[in-house]
Amino acid sequence: MDLFSEEKTRLKLPNAELIYIDCFYNLDRANHYFETLKETVSWQQDDITIFGKTHKQPRLTALYANNDKPYSYSNIIMHPHQFTSELSQIRTDIEQEIKHQFTSVLLNLYRDGNDSNGWHADNEKELGKNPIIASVSFGAVRPFHFKHRHLKTEKYQLNLNHGSLLVMKGEMQHFWLHQIAKTKKNIGARINLTFRSII
């Protein structure tokens, strides 16, 4: 279902609220950030254990923050680097847009269609009760799938465009799951920045 037909849309779903801005950054700015982040971020590839089997996480990641608080998920503990000037500027742009402050950003680099992020929620205790997550995308367009944990008819797909901003609010991380699935399409790299506040 296509939920977002306007350039900026607010959507109230059961137990969630989303804001999507299709062109948060214009093409030149988005291209600049994509190339700069791809080359300058301290990317890492952690091991992840699922159902007793350990393998390489199917994407590269990095954590940056204005503090030294680690972030843990899926038995991975990440320690932050200090914000770069580019990440600080992006954070400021988002904070001014949505009137909410963030301490940290988790970055994902999907190198091609084989890289993915399975069904999950950003519900770690470090993020607080009802975390606000602001997600900026640069590079190749990938579908963002999200579904309600209990209401089986509540499932959607949204293409996250180059330079777009998606904000997840309310109880979404408690009641919804989301993913970036693998694809056999021949697509390029995508960088995703998910700003959050680690308490």
Side-chain angles (χ1 to χ4, degrees), residues 132-186:
I132 295 176
I133 308 291
S135 174
V136 182
S137 296
F138 299 116
V141 177
R142 294 289 291 267
F144 175 79
H145 299 267
F146 53 109
K147 63 181 180 179
H148 199 282
R149 291 177 184 268
H150 311 298
L151 304 175
K152 300 307 180 185
T153 58
E154 295 289 335
K155 52 184 178 181
Y156 306 97
Q157 174 181 317
L158 168 65
N159 285 331
L160 298 177
N161 292 325
H162 183 42
S164 66
L165 170 65
L166 175 69
V167 181
M168 297 179 282
K169 303 174 65 176
E171 300 176 303
M172 183 163 184
Q173 303 306 325
H174 300 289
F175 288 92
W176 293 74
L177 299 172
H178 55 272
Q179 72 163 352
I180 301 293
K182 294 181 185 296
T183 178
K184 294 182 179 180
K185 293 181 180 179
N186 184 18

Short mmCIF file of all heavy atoms in Angstrom, two decimals, residues 132-186:
data_model
loop_
_atom_site.label_atom_id
_atom_site.label_comp_id
_atom_site.label_asym_id
_atom_site.label_seq_id
_atom_site.Cartn_x
_atom_site.Cartn_y
_atom_site.Cartn_z
N ILE A 132 12.01 8.18 19.77
CA ILE A 132 11.84 8.79 18.46
C ILE A 132 13.08 8.45 17.64
O ILE A 132 14.21 8.70 18.07
CB ILE A 132 11.67 10.32 18.58
CG1 ILE A 132 10.37 10.64 19.32
CG2 ILE A 132 11.67 10.97 17.20
CD1 ILE A 132 10.17 12.13 19.58
N ILE A 133 12.87 7.84 16.49
CA ILE A 133 13.96 7.43 15.60
C ILE A 133 13.83 8.21 14.30
O ILE A 133 12.77 8.16 13.65
CB ILE A 133 13.93 5.92 15.30
CG1 ILE A 133 13.86 5.09 16.59
CG2 ILE A 133 15.12 5.52 14.44
CD1 ILE A 133 15.11 5.12 17.43
N ALA A 134 14.89 8.93 13.93
CA ALA A 134 14.88 9.69 12.68
C ALA A 134 15.85 9.03 11.70
O ALA A 134 17.04 8.89 12.00
CB ALA A 134 15.28 11.14 12.93
N SER A 135 15.34 8.63 10.56
CA SER A 135 16.10 7.82 9.60
C SER A 135 16.29 8.58 8.30
O SER A 135 15.33 8.91 7.60
CB SER A 135 15.34 6.51 9.35
OG SER A 135 15.94 5.75 8.34
N VAL A 136 17.56 8.86 7.95
CA VAL A 136 17.90 9.54 6.70
C VAL A 136 18.53 8.52 5.75
O VAL A 136 19.37 7.71 6.16
CB VAL A 136 18.88 10.70 6.94
CG1 VAL A 136 19.20 11.42 5.64
CG2 VAL A 136 18.32 11.67 7.95
N SER A 137 18.13 8.57 4.48
CA SER A 137 18.64 7.62 3.49
C SER A 137 19.38 8.35 2.38
O SER A 137 18.91 9.38 1.87
CB SER A 137 17.49 6.81 2.88
OG SER A 137 16.87 6.01 3.86
N PHE A 138 20.52 7.79 1.99
CA PHE A 138 21.30 8.29 0.86
C PHE A 138 21.65 7.11 -0.04
O PHE A 138 21.97 6.04 0.44
CB PHE A 138 22.58 8.98 1.32
CG PHE A 138 22.37 10.17 2.21
CD1 PHE A 138 22.82 10.17 3.52
CD2 PHE A 138 21.72 11.31 1.73
CE1 PHE A 138 22.64 11.26 4.34
CE2 PHE A 138 21.54 12.41 2.55
CZ PHE A 138 21.99 12.39 3.86
N GLY A 139 21.64 7.33 -1.35
CA GLY A 139 22.05 6.29 -2.28
C GLY A 139 20.87 5.55 -2.88
O GLY A 139 19.79 6.11 -3.09
N ALA A 140 21.08 4.27 -3.15
CA ALA A 140 20.07 3.46 -3.83
C ALA A 140 18.78 3.39 -3.03
O ALA A 140 18.80 3.33 -1.81
CB ALA A 140 20.61 2.05 -4.08
N VAL A 141 17.66 3.38 -3.75
CA VAL A 141 16.35 3.28 -3.12
C VAL A 141 16.11 1.84 -2.68
O VAL A 141 16.27 0.91 -3.46
CB VAL A 141 15.24 3.72 -4.09
CG1 VAL A 141 13.87 3.55 -3.45
CG2 VAL A 141 15.45 5.16 -4.53
N ARG A 142 15.75 1.66 -1.40
CA ARG A 142 15.40 0.34 -0.89
C ARG A 142 14.02 0.39 -0.24
O ARG A 142 13.69 1.37 0.44
CB ARG A 142 16.44 -0.13 0.15
CG ARG A 142 17.84 -0.38 -0.39
CD ARG A 142 17.95 -1.61 -1.26
NE ARG A 142 17.80 -2.86 -0.53
CZ ARG A 142 18.84 -3.55 -0.02
NH1 ARG A 142 20.07 -3.11 -0.17
NH2 ARG A 142 18.61 -4.69 0.60
N PRO A 143 13.22 -0.65 -0.39
CA PRO A 143 11.91 -0.69 0.27
C PRO A 143 12.06 -0.91 1.77
O PRO A 143 12.83 -1.77 2.21
CB PRO A 143 11.19 -1.88 -0.39
CG PRO A 143 11.99 -2.20 -1.61
CD PRO A 143 13.39 -1.79 -1.31
N PHE A 144 11.31 -0.13 2.53
CA PHE A 144 11.23 -0.24 3.98
C PHE A 144 9.91 -0.94 4.29
O PHE A 144 8.84 -0.40 4.04
CB PHE A 144 11.29 1.16 4.59
CG PHE A 144 11.11 1.23 6.08
CD1 PHE A 144 12.15 0.92 6.94
CD2 PHE A 144 9.89 1.65 6.64
CE1 PHE A 144 11.99 1.01 8.32
CE2 PHE A 144 9.74 1.74 8.00
CZ PHE A 144 10.78 1.42 8.84
N HIS A 145 9.99 -2.16 4.80
CA HIS A 145 8.79 -2.92 5.15
C HIS A 145 8.51 -2.77 6.64
O HIS A 145 9.43 -2.85 7.45
CB HIS A 145 8.99 -4.41 4.83
CG HIS A 145 9.26 -4.70 3.39
ND1 HIS A 145 8.27 -5.01 2.49
CD2 HIS A 145 10.41 -4.72 2.68
CE1 HIS A 145 8.78 -5.22 1.30
NE2 HIS A 145 10.10 -5.05 1.38
N PHE A 146 7.25 -2.58 7.00
CA PHE A 146 6.90 -2.54 8.41
C PHE A 146 5.52 -3.16 8.62
O PHE A 146 4.63 -3.04 7.78
CB PHE A 146 6.99 -1.13 9.00
CG PHE A 146 6.23 -0.04 8.27
CD1 PHE A 146 5.10 0.53 8.83
CD2 PHE A 146 6.66 0.42 7.04
CE1 PHE A 146 4.42 1.55 8.19
CE2 PHE A 146 5.99 1.44 6.39
CZ PHE A 146 4.85 2.00 6.96
N LYS A 147 5.40 -3.87 9.77
CA LYS A 147 4.17 -4.61 10.05
C LYS A 147 3.89 -4.58 11.54
O LYS A 147 4.80 -4.58 12.37
CB LYS A 147 4.27 -6.05 9.56
CG LYS A 147 5.35 -6.88 10.25
CD LYS A 147 5.41 -8.30 9.69
CE LYS A 147 6.48 -9.13 10.39
NZ LYS A 147 6.54 -10.53 9.88
N HIS A 148 2.59 -4.57 11.88
CA HIS A 148 2.15 -4.60 13.27
C HIS A 148 2.37 -6.00 13.84
O HIS A 148 2.17 -7.00 13.13
CB HIS A 148 0.68 -4.19 13.36
CG HIS A 148 0.26 -3.77 14.72
ND1 HIS A 148 -0.02 -4.67 15.73
CD2 HIS A 148 0.04 -2.52 15.26
CE1 HIS A 148 -0.39 -4.01 16.81
NE2 HIS A 148 -0.35 -2.71 16.56
N ARG A 149 2.76 -6.07 15.09
CA ARG A 149 3.02 -7.37 15.71
C ARG A 149 1.74 -8.21 15.87
O ARG A 149 1.80 -9.44 15.84
CB ARG A 149 3.65 -7.19 17.10
CG ARG A 149 5.08 -6.65 17.10
CD ARG A 149 5.55 -6.46 18.52
NE ARG A 149 6.87 -5.87 18.62
CZ ARG A 149 8.01 -6.56 18.70
NH1 ARG A 149 7.98 -7.88 18.67
NH2 ARG A 149 9.16 -5.94 18.80
N HIS A 150 0.59 -7.55 16.05
CA HIS A 150 -0.64 -8.27 16.38
C HIS A 150 -1.74 -8.10 15.34
O HIS A 150 -2.56 -9.00 15.16
CB HIS A 150 -1.17 -7.81 17.75
CG HIS A 150 -0.12 -7.82 18.82
ND1 HIS A 150 0.53 -8.97 19.22
CD2 HIS A 150 0.40 -6.80 19.56
CE1 HIS A 150 1.41 -8.66 20.17
NE2 HIS A 150 1.35 -7.36 20.39
N LEU A 151 -1.80 -6.96 14.67
CA LEU A 151 -2.83 -6.69 13.68
C LEU A 151 -2.31 -7.09 12.30
O LEU A 151 -1.56 -6.36 11.67
CB LEU A 151 -3.21 -5.20 13.70
CG LEU A 151 -3.66 -4.66 15.06
CD1 LEU A 151 -3.90 -3.15 14.99
CD2 LEU A 151 -4.92 -5.38 15.55
N LYS A 152 -2.70 -8.27 11.85
CA LYS A 152 -2.09 -8.88 10.66
C LYS A 152 -2.36 -8.09 9.38
O LYS A 152 -1.62 -8.22 8.41
CB LYS A 152 -2.58 -10.32 10.51
CG LYS A 152 -2.23 -11.22 11.69
CD LYS A 152 -0.74 -11.17 12.02
CE LYS A 152 -0.40 -12.06 13.20
NZ LYS A 152 1.03 -11.94 13.61
N THR A 153 -3.43 -7.28 9.36
CA THR A 153 -3.72 -6.50 8.15
C THR A 153 -2.89 -5.22 8.08
O THR A 153 -2.87 -4.57 7.02
CB THR A 153 -5.21 -6.13 8.09
OG1 THR A 153 -5.55 -5.38 9.27
CG2 THR A 153 -6.07 -7.39 8.03
N GLU A 154 -2.22 -4.86 9.16
CA GLU A 154 -1.44 -3.63 9.20
C GLU A 154 -0.01 -3.94 8.79
O GLU A 154 0.88 -4.19 9.61
CB GLU A 154 -1.48 -3.01 10.60
CG GLU A 154 -2.85 -2.52 11.03
CD GLU A 154 -3.28 -1.28 10.27
OE1 GLU A 154 -2.42 -0.52 9.79
OE2 GLU A 154 -4.50 -1.06 10.16
N LYS A 155 0.24 -3.94 7.47
CA LYS A 155 1.59 -4.15 6.95
C LYS A 155 1.75 -3.31 5.69
O LYS A 155 0.84 -3.22 4.86
CB LYS A 155 1.85 -5.62 6.66
CG LYS A 155 0.83 -6.32 5.80
CD LYS A 155 1.15 -7.80 5.68
CE LYS A 155 0.10 -8.53 4.85
NZ LYS A 155 0.40 -9.98 4.75
N TYR A 156 2.90 -2.67 5.57
CA TYR A 156 3.10 -1.67 4.54
C TYR A 156 4.51 -1.73 3.98
O TYR A 156 5.41 -2.35 4.56
CB TYR A 156 2.83 -0.26 5.09
CG TYR A 156 1.48 -0.11 5.73
CD1 TYR A 156 1.33 -0.22 7.11
CD2 TYR A 156 0.34 0.13 4.96
CE1 TYR A 156 0.08 -0.10 7.71
CE2 TYR A 156 -0.90 0.26 5.55
CZ TYR A 156 -1.02 0.14 6.92
OH TYR A 156 -2.26 0.26 7.51
N GLN A 157 4.70 -1.04 2.85
CA GLN A 157 6.01 -0.89 2.23
C GLN A 157 6.17 0.55 1.79
O GLN A 157 5.25 1.14 1.22
CB GLN A 157 6.14 -1.83 1.03
CG GLN A 157 7.43 -1.64 0.24
CD GLN A 157 7.50 -2.57 -0.95
OE1 GLN A 157 7.17 -3.75 -0.85
NE2 GLN A 157 7.93 -2.05 -2.09
N LEU A 158 7.35 1.10 2.05
CA LEU A 158 7.65 2.48 1.67
C LEU A 158 9.03 2.52 1.04
O LEU A 158 10.01 2.03 1.64
CB LEU A 158 7.61 3.39 2.91
CG LEU A 158 8.17 4.80 2.78
CD1 LEU A 158 7.33 5.61 1.80
CD2 LEU A 158 8.23 5.48 4.13
N ASN A 159 9.15 3.06 -0.16
CA ASN A 159 10.46 3.23 -0.78
C ASN A 159 11.15 4.44 -0.17
O ASN A 159 10.63 5.56 -0.23
CB ASN A 159 10.32 3.42 -2.29
CG ASN A 159 9.99 2.13 -3.00
OD1 ASN A 159 10.36 1.05 -2.55
ND2 ASN A 159 9.28 2.22 -4.10
N LEU A 160 12.32 4.22 0.43
CA LEU A 160 13.08 5.30 1.06
C LEU A 160 14.02 5.90 0.02
O LEU A 160 15.02 5.31 -0.35
CB LEU A 160 13.86 4.75 2.26
CG LEU A 160 12.99 4.17 3.39
CD1 LEU A 160 13.84 3.60 4.50
CD2 LEU A 160 12.04 5.23 3.94
N ASN A 161 13.67 7.07 -0.45
CA ASN A 161 14.39 7.69 -1.55
C ASN A 161 15.66 8.39 -1.11
O ASN A 161 15.85 8.71 0.07
CB ASN A 161 13.47 8.68 -2.27
CG ASN A 161 12.34 7.97 -3.01
OD1 ASN A 161 12.53 6.89 -3.53
ND2 ASN A 161 11.17 8.59 -3.04
N HIS A 162 16.53 8.63 -2.06
CA HIS A 162 17.80 9.34 -1.87
C HIS A 162 17.53 10.74 -1.30
O HIS A 162 16.83 11.54 -1.92
CB HIS A 162 18.49 9.42 -3.23
CG HIS A 162 19.84 10.04 -3.25
ND1 HIS A 162 20.79 9.80 -2.29
CD2 HIS A 162 20.41 10.89 -4.15
CE1 HIS A 162 21.91 10.47 -2.60
NE2 HIS A 162 21.69 11.14 -3.72
N GLY A 163 18.04 11.01 -0.08
CA GLY A 163 17.84 12.31 0.55
C GLY A 163 16.58 12.42 1.37
O GLY A 163 16.24 13.52 1.83
N SER A 164 15.89 11.30 1.61
CA SER A 164 14.62 11.35 2.35
C SER A 164 14.84 11.21 3.85
O SER A 164 15.88 10.74 4.31
CB SER A 164 13.69 10.24 1.87
OG SER A 164 14.20 8.96 2.20
N LEU A 165 13.80 11.62 4.60
CA LEU A 165 13.80 11.52 6.06
C LEU A 165 12.52 10.81 6.50
O LEU A 165 11.42 11.21 6.11
CB LEU A 165 13.86 12.91 6.70
CG LEU A 165 13.63 12.98 8.22
CD1 LEU A 165 14.73 12.25 8.98
CD2 LEU A 165 13.52 14.43 8.69
N LEU A 166 12.67 9.77 7.32
CA LEU A 166 11.54 9.07 7.92
C LEU A 166 11.68 9.16 9.43
O LEU A 166 12.73 8.82 9.97
CB LEU A 166 11.51 7.60 7.48
CG LEU A 166 10.45 6.73 8.14
CD1 LEU A 166 9.05 7.13 7.68
CD2 LEU A 166 10.70 5.25 7.84
N VAL A 167 10.63 9.60 10.11
CA VAL A 167 10.63 9.71 11.57
C VAL A 167 9.60 8.74 12.13
O VAL A 167 8.44 8.77 11.73
CB VAL A 167 10.32 11.14 12.03
CG1 VAL A 167 10.37 11.23 13.56
CG2 VAL A 167 11.30 12.13 11.41
N MET A 168 10.03 7.88 13.04
CA MET A 168 9.15 6.94 13.72
C MET A 168 8.95 7.40 15.15
O MET A 168 9.92 7.64 15.87
CB MET A 168 9.74 5.53 13.68
CG MET A 168 9.90 4.96 12.28
SD MET A 168 10.64 3.29 12.26
CE MET A 168 12.39 3.70 12.50
N LYS A 169 7.66 7.50 15.56
CA LYS A 169 7.34 8.07 16.87
C LYS A 169 6.31 7.21 17.59
O LYS A 169 5.83 6.22 17.07
CB LYS A 169 6.78 9.50 16.69
CG LYS A 169 7.69 10.44 15.95
CD LYS A 169 7.01 11.78 15.69
CE LYS A 169 6.71 12.54 16.96
NZ LYS A 169 6.14 13.88 16.67
N GLY A 170 5.97 7.66 18.80
CA GLY A 170 4.92 7.00 19.58
C GLY A 170 5.33 5.62 20.05
O GLY A 170 6.48 5.38 20.41
N GLU A 171 4.37 4.69 20.03
CA GLU A 171 4.60 3.34 20.51
C GLU A 171 5.12 2.40 19.42
O GLU A 171 5.11 1.18 19.60
CB GLU A 171 3.30 2.76 21.08
CG GLU A 171 2.72 3.54 22.25
CD GLU A 171 1.37 2.97 22.69
OE1 GLU A 171 0.46 2.89 21.83
OE2 GLU A 171 1.26 2.60 23.87
N MET A 172 5.57 2.94 18.32
CA MET A 172 5.88 2.12 17.15
C MET A 172 6.87 1.01 17.46
O MET A 172 6.72 -0.13 16.99
CB MET A 172 6.39 2.98 16.01
CG MET A 172 6.67 2.17 14.74
SD MET A 172 6.82 3.18 13.27
CE MET A 172 7.01 1.91 12.02
N GLN A 173 7.91 1.30 18.24
CA GLN A 173 8.94 0.29 18.47
C GLN A 173 8.46 -0.84 19.37
O GLN A 173 9.10 -1.89 19.45
CB GLN A 173 10.20 0.95 19.05
CG GLN A 173 10.77 2.06 18.19
CD GLN A 173 11.03 1.64 16.75
OE1 GLN A 173 11.42 0.49 16.47
NE2 GLN A 173 10.81 2.55 15.80
N HIS A 174 7.34 -0.65 20.05
CA HIS A 174 6.77 -1.71 20.88
C HIS A 174 5.81 -2.60 20.08
O HIS A 174 5.71 -3.80 20.34
CB HIS A 174 6.01 -1.11 22.07
CG HIS A 174 6.87 -0.29 22.97
ND1 HIS A 174 7.84 -0.83 23.79
CD2 HIS A 174 6.93 1.05 23.17
CE1 HIS A 174 8.45 0.13 24.45
NE2 HIS A 174 7.91 1.28 24.10
N PHE A 175 5.11 -2.01 19.11
CA PHE A 175 4.03 -2.72 18.43
C PHE A 175 4.32 -3.06 16.97
O PHE A 175 3.55 -3.79 16.35
CB PHE A 175 2.74 -1.90 18.51
CG PHE A 175 2.13 -1.88 19.89
CD1 PHE A 175 2.45 -0.87 20.78
CD2 PHE A 175 1.26 -2.88 20.29
CE1 PHE A 175 1.90 -0.85 22.05
CE2 PHE A 175 0.70 -2.87 21.56
CZ PHE A 175 1.02 -1.86 22.45
N TRP A 176 5.40 -2.53 16.40
CA TRP A 176 5.70 -2.75 14.99
C TRP A 176 7.10 -3.31 14.81
O TRP A 176 8.01 -3.03 15.60
CB TRP A 176 5.58 -1.44 14.21
CG TRP A 176 4.18 -0.90 14.13
CD1 TRP A 176 3.47 -0.29 15.14
CD2 TRP A 176 3.32 -0.92 12.99
NE1 TRP A 176 2.23 0.07 14.68
CE2 TRP A 176 2.11 -0.30 13.37
CE3 TRP A 176 3.46 -1.39 11.69
CZ2 TRP A 176 1.04 -0.16 12.50
CZ3 TRP A 176 2.41 -1.24 10.81
CH2 TRP A 176 1.20 -0.63 11.22
N LEU A 177 7.28 -4.07 13.74
CA LEU A 177 8.59 -4.54 13.29
C LEU A 177 8.87 -3.93 11.92
O LEU A 177 7.95 -3.62 11.17
CB LEU A 177 8.60 -6.07 13.17
CG LEU A 177 8.33 -6.86 14.45
CD1 LEU A 177 8.19 -8.35 14.12
CD2 LEU A 177 9.44 -6.65 15.48
N HIS A 178 10.15 -3.76 11.61
CA HIS A 178 10.52 -3.24 10.29
C HIS A 178 11.77 -3.95 9.78
O HIS A 178 12.52 -4.55 10.56
CB HIS A 178 10.72 -1.72 10.31
CG HIS A 178 11.71 -1.23 11.33
ND1 HIS A 178 11.36 -0.93 12.63
CD2 HIS A 178 13.03 -0.98 11.23
CE1 HIS A 178 12.42 -0.50 13.29
NE2 HIS A 178 13.46 -0.53 12.46
N GLN A 179 11.99 -3.88 8.47
CA GLN A 179 13.14 -4.55 7.87
C GLN A 179 13.51 -3.89 6.55
O GLN A 179 12.70 -3.20 5.91
CB GLN A 179 12.85 -6.03 7.61
CG GLN A 179 11.89 -6.29 6.46
CD GLN A 179 11.93 -7.73 5.95
OE1 GLN A 179 12.77 -8.52 6.34
NE2 GLN A 179 11.01 -8.06 5.05
N ILE A 180 14.77 -4.13 6.14
CA ILE A 180 15.25 -3.88 4.78
C ILE A 180 15.62 -5.25 4.23
O ILE A 180 16.61 -5.86 4.65
CB ILE A 180 16.47 -2.94 4.76
CG1 ILE A 180 16.13 -1.60 5.38
CG2 ILE A 180 16.98 -2.78 3.33
CD1 ILE A 180 15.12 -0.77 4.60
N ALA A 181 14.80 -5.77 3.33
CA ALA A 181 14.98 -7.14 2.84
C ALA A 181 16.04 -7.21 1.75
O ALA A 181 16.34 -6.22 1.08
CB ALA A 181 13.65 -7.68 2.31
N LYS A 182 16.60 -8.41 1.56
CA LYS A 182 17.49 -8.65 0.43
C LYS A 182 16.71 -8.51 -0.87
O LYS A 182 15.50 -8.68 -0.90
CB LYS A 182 18.09 -10.06 0.52
CG LYS A 182 19.02 -10.30 1.69
CD LYS A 182 19.56 -11.71 1.65
CE LYS A 182 20.41 -12.03 2.88
NZ LYS A 182 21.62 -11.19 2.95
N THR A 183 17.41 -8.22 -1.95
CA THR A 183 16.79 -8.16 -3.26
C THR A 183 17.75 -8.71 -4.30
O THR A 183 18.98 -8.56 -4.18
CB THR A 183 16.39 -6.72 -3.62
OG1 THR A 183 15.84 -6.71 -4.94
CG2 THR A 183 17.57 -5.77 -3.59
N LYS A 184 17.20 -9.35 -5.32
CA LYS A 184 18.02 -9.86 -6.41
C LYS A 184 18.25 -8.82 -7.50
O LYS A 184 18.97 -9.06 -8.46
CB LYS A 184 17.37 -11.11 -7.01
CG LYS A 184 17.34 -12.29 -6.03
CD LYS A 184 16.73 -13.53 -6.67
CE LYS A 184 16.75 -14.69 -5.70
NZ LYS A 184 16.15 -15.93 -6.29
N LYS A 185 17.63 -7.65 -7.32
CA LYS A 185 17.83 -6.58 -8.28
C LYS A 185 19.27 -6.08 -8.23
O LYS A 185 19.90 -6.07 -7.17
CB LYS A 185 16.87 -5.43 -7.99
CG LYS A 185 15.41 -5.76 -8.21
CD LYS A 185 14.53 -4.56 -7.91
CE LYS A 185 13.06 -4.89 -8.12
NZ LYS A 185 12.18 -3.73 -7.80
N ASN A 186 19.77 -5.66 -9.36
CA ASN A 186 21.13 -5.12 -9.44
C ASN A 186 21.10 -3.66 -9.02
O ASN A 186 20.83 -2.76 -9.83
CB ASN A 186 21.68 -5.27 -10.85
CG ASN A 186 23.12 -4.81 -10.96
OD1 ASN A 186 23.82 -4.70 -9.96
ND2 ASN A 186 23.56 -4.52 -12.17
#
